[in-house]
Amino acid sequence: MQKEYDEMFMQQAISLAKKGWGKTGTNPLVGAIVVKNNKIISQGFHRKRGEAHAEVCALADAGRRAQGTTLYINLEPCCSAGHTPPCVEAIRKAKIKRVVIGMTDPNPLVNGKGITFLKQNNIDVTVNILSEQANQLNVWYKKYITTKIPYIILKIAISKNGKISGFKEKYITSEPSRKFVHSLRGQVGAVMVGINTVLADNPYLTDRLVGRNNPVRVVIDPHLQIPLQSNFFKKNSRRIIITQRTNDSEKIRKLNLSGTELIFLDGDYYPIETVIQKLGSLNIGSLLIEGGAILFSQFLDKKMYDELFLFVASRNVAGGIQFFDEISKEIKFTDLKSLKIGEDLLYHVYRHN
């Protein structure tokens, strides 16, 4: 019976953790619940990077009632000081009797040390409750914290006849599909496109259809072609342009005044490994790639992605670039089930690098 309660409360902790999507930076998504006699007395989640961790929020809400209770948390509590003090100390001081953990923290600074601390302080510890769900929730964090390379998601939309970009219509997918994509944007650290996508579609790259949290917006623009009137500059969130050094000092001055960060790399062509490593060094833990065909081809050819969302529109288009063959090298459609979203089909693939 206790296992059933453990799984039930852990599920609630995981659901609570999801409220932090897109706001915790490179920190993991964490929810915590304080339980006494199988009843919840307080809860908390990590709301934003630099603010209190989930355990501290839940314990503060419980106050003295936390003594002798069970704490449910989807990720091992930290034992090292960062932006906030170690959470294991707060647990010890609150006199928690038992801690139930979804997964150990892959962060080398923690990775089992938090559990050891709790046990050394006579706190009963149960680990790996709903571990698969806990790991899935923070799969991006696990990659970034151990490699400093962002978790990479490709979002590709093609017409029914396999075309991508270069046609007259700005949108070929239905509004439900676009809302789904905006929801993805709200969950990642950054969205990246190439300059051709900016020139052709003039995207905002925000999550305006769902309004959760705008990501960092990144454009690869070797020749600094981006028009200063682009929608890219119209929303107040962090913006990055990857380019090469140029003699156009006036444009650089205006970009600097707009608050846009410029990353200078040498040459007209940037290996995606270099770009991704650079973004990782800027504390970007997850990255959504939204176009165009050249950028997609690089990631597909080098198999440098962790997830792929492919939207197939319900109609054919004239013009554009035939991209179906490129995608079918990676996706075996006969092996996959599609999800119907509006008028479109969605194929979702995980790639375990």
Side-chain angles (χ1 to χ4, degrees), residues 218-271:
V218 183
V219 174
I220 298 180
D221 183 8
H223 302 291
L224 211 57
Q225 297 172 270
I226 189 167
L228 294 174
Q229 298 77 27
S230 298
N231 291 331
F232 177 76
F233 299 105
K234 292 183 179 178
K235 296 295 179 178
N236 186 25
S237 64
R238 187 181 177 190
R239 298 182 299 271
I240 297 174
I241 295 177
I242 300 173
T243 188
Q244 61 178 309
R245 297 195 181 277
T246 173
N247 293 325
D248 193 345
S249 57
E250 179 61 17
K251 190 165 190 178
I252 289 178
R253 184 185 71 83
K254 290 179 178 179
L255 288 171
N256 286 331
L257 286 174
S258 75
T260 303
E261 299 173 46
L262 297 176
I263 297 175
F264 295 104
L265 297 177
D266 295 328
D268 295 338
Y269 172 82
Y270 310 133

Side-chain angles (χ1 to χ4, degrees), residues 10 14 101-103 127-136:
M10 185 59 67
I14 290 172
I101 298 169
M103 63 177 283
V127 186
N128 293 327
I129 299 298
L130 298 187
S131 61
E132 185 175 342
Q133 292 184 41
N135 273 274
Q136 186 58 47

Side-chain angles (χ1 to χ4, degrees), residues 7-25:
E7 291 182 350
M8 179 183 70
F9 291 125
M10 185 59 67
Q11 185 63 67
Q12 292 183 57
I14 290 172
S15 297
L16 190 61
K18 293 178 181 178
K19 291 186 175 183
W21 269 123
K23 300 177 182 178
T24 62

